[in-house]
Amino acid sequence: MIHSALMNVMVKAARRAGRSLKRDLGEIENLQVSMKGPANFVSAADKRAEEMLYADLSKARPGYGFVGEEGGVREGTDKTHTWIVDPLDGTTNFLHGIPQFAISIGLKRDDAVIAGVIYNPANDELYIAERGKGAFLNDHRLRVAGRKQLNESVIACGLPHLGRGDLVLAHKELGTVMPRVAGLRRFGSAALDLAAVAAGRFDGYWERDLQPWDIAAGILMVREAGGTVSGMLGNDDPLATGDVICGNEMIHRELVKLLKIVN
Ligand code: 2AM
Ligand code: CA
């Protein structure tokens, strides 16, 4: 498959940083003996990956702004374009040697995300999307699942992290959704959860309190695969609120309805 010049830049950067993360994952097993060791090591791996991404992306597109999970905001001279980058989404999984983590790169032009790459170096799954051109997993075109009923759907979710988020609300949401779906899943990487909805593996997904770098690329992925994405209101912008609900049009609508009842 022939990629655009922009997509070539993004894929190359993701693959190089991915090689670094994969090497570091191999080291994690050796560090499991020490409690403090792995956390510090992962934080270093994370920063290293972000610096590689910044170096590659800013070299290929000088002047674009850069917002990364680790390094904060780096202003560019070109005020219309901004990279939104998570060098390691699914940090907890990575720390535990669970191969469900990814690099997520989104490119914003003005207020719209126009390109996204999500790459899991552990299994070499590469998701790409460009606005108006569709979404692809390892160059196969993606389409969201077609299931119309929640009771035949597998739905993914996120849960509040230690010391953060609203636990009572999360329990209520789980209690409402769980008995109505074929299966509920919690995989721990928002970027890969969105990618899995785009790929039709999950029929839907919701999570609260996320950051733009967790979801920028994934939102585009779902939309380009024909899915619907919003915040908790059903028509609001998840990049602005940090809350996300998605699926095909029907499943998205059902999830919005259910989660509204909870609140
Ligand atoms: P991260 O691994 O890059 O931190 C898991 O539910 C999702 O929430 C992941 O995408 C994770 O991204 C994100 N997340 C956001 N804030 C978090 C936090 N404080 N602790 C753990 N995960 C967090
Ligand atoms: Ca993240």
Side-chain angles (χ1 to χ4, degrees), residues 145-173:
R147 293 184 190 84
K148 296 184 172 73
Q149 314 273 352
L150 273 183
N151 63 13
E152 55 184 4
S153 293
V154 170
I155 303 296
C157 65
L159 299 170
H161 312 290
L162 195 64
R164 293 187 62 209
D166 186 338
L167 275 177
V168 175
L169 177 61
H171 275 104
K172 280 194 206 155
E173 287 186 344

Side-chain angles (χ1 to χ4, degrees), residues 69 86 88-92 158-159 161 164 186 188-190 207 209-210 214:
E69 175 162 21
D86 193 338
L88 174 51
D89 187 59
T91 318
T92 307
L159 299 170
H161 312 290
R164 293 187 62 209
R186 204 294 192 198
S189 158
E207 181 161 1
D209 293 324
L210 295 164
D214 301 321

Side-chain angles (χ1 to χ4, degrees), residues 83-199:
W83 300 110
I84 306 180
V85 172
D86 193 338
L88 174 51
D89 187 59
T91 318
T92 307
N93 286 340
F94 186 86
L95 176 63
H96 287 257
I98 300 167
Q100 178 75 4
F101 58 87
I103 288 161
S104 175
I105 307 172
L107 177 63
K108 243 172 120 175
R109 178 183 293 153
D110 299 316
D111 283 332
V113 179
I114 57 160
V117 165
I118 297 171
Y119 178 52
N120 180 352
N123 63 8
D124 205 31
E125 286 193 331
L126 176 77
Y127 294 85
I128 65 171
E130 279 185 270
R131 196 170 56 168
K133 293 190 188 172
F136 299 83
L137 163 54
N138 293 344
D139 290 341
H140 295 286
R141 179 109 194 205
L142 297 181
R143 177 84 204 155
V144 292
R147 293 184 190 84
K148 296 184 172 73
Q149 314 273 352
L150 273 183
N151 63 13
E152 55 184 4
S153 293
V154 170
I155 303 296
C157 65
L159 299 170
H161 312 290
L162 195 64
R164 293 187 62 209
D166 186 338
L167 275 177
V168 175
L169 177 61
H171 275 104
K172 280 194 206 155
E173 287 186 344
L174 291 176
T176 304
V177 176
M178 215 185 297
R180 292 179 169 83
V181 298
L184 199 56
R185 299 288 183 271
R186 204 294 192 198
F187 275 74
S189 158
L192 288 177
D193 289 339
L194 288 161
V197 172

Side-chain angles (χ1 to χ4, degrees), residues 23-77:
R23 269 195 305 274
D24 290 335
L25 181 72
E27 290 292 313
I28 297 271
E29 271 105 54
N30 306 327
L31 293 165
Q32 291 288 17
V33 281
S34 143
M35 281 305 284
K36 197 165 170 225
N40 287 348
F41 181 81
V42 167
S43 156
D46 208 341
K47 288 198 175 73
R48 195 156 43 235
E50 181 160 320
E51 284 317 306
M52 281 185 182
L53 292 164
Y54 178 71
D56 289 359
L57 296 173
S58 60
K59 185 166 178 223
R61 292 292 183 274
Y64 284 17
F66 186 98
V67 181
E69 175 162 21
E70 295 301 314
V73 179
R74 300 183 229 204
E75 298 277 349
T77 49

